Amino acid sequence: MIHLIPVAKLIWYMNRLLFHCDIDYRADLAGGFMIVHGLGIVIGSGVKSNGRLKVYQGVTLGGDRKIYNK
C-alpha cells in the first residue's frame, strides 16, 4: 500500500497558501466538484459529496460537532 498522506498535506498547504481555500485532504469529493470563486472556502474532513457540487466564495462545509456554551 502506498502512503501518500505527506503529499496530500503538502498539496493542501499549497492550496491554502496560494488560493485561500482550506479543503481537507480527507474530504470525499465526487466528480463534478467545482469552485466558482475560492476565496474563503473551508471544507472539513467529514464532507462527502455524491454528485455535482458547486461551491461559491465564503462557504464552510463540515464542522467539529462540538457544542459551545457561552
Side-chain angles (χ1 to χ4, degrees):
M1 178 178 221
I2 300 173
H3 296 284
L4 297 176
I5 292 175
V7 175
K9 286 184 180 182
L10 177 66
I11 293 170
W12 165 80
Y13 182 72
M14 288 174 41
N15 185 35
R16 185 173 179 194
L17 184 66
L18 295 174
F19 301 110
H20 302 284
C21 293
D22 189 358
I23 302 172
D24 196 286
Y25 65 95
R26 294 170 289 190
D28 185 11
L29 303 172
F33 177 74
M34 183 170 67
I35 297 175
V36 176
H37 190 276
L39 189 65
I41 290 177
V42 179
I43 299 177
S45 62
V47 174
K48 180 178 180 181
S49 70
N50 294 325
R52 291 182 172 181
L53 181 63
K54 192 181 285 188
V55 180
Y56 291 89
Q57 176 181 2
V59 173
T60 300
L61 300 174
D64 58 5
R65 299 182 187 189
K66 291 182 182 177
I67 298 173
Y68 295 99
N69 294 323
K70 291 185 177 184

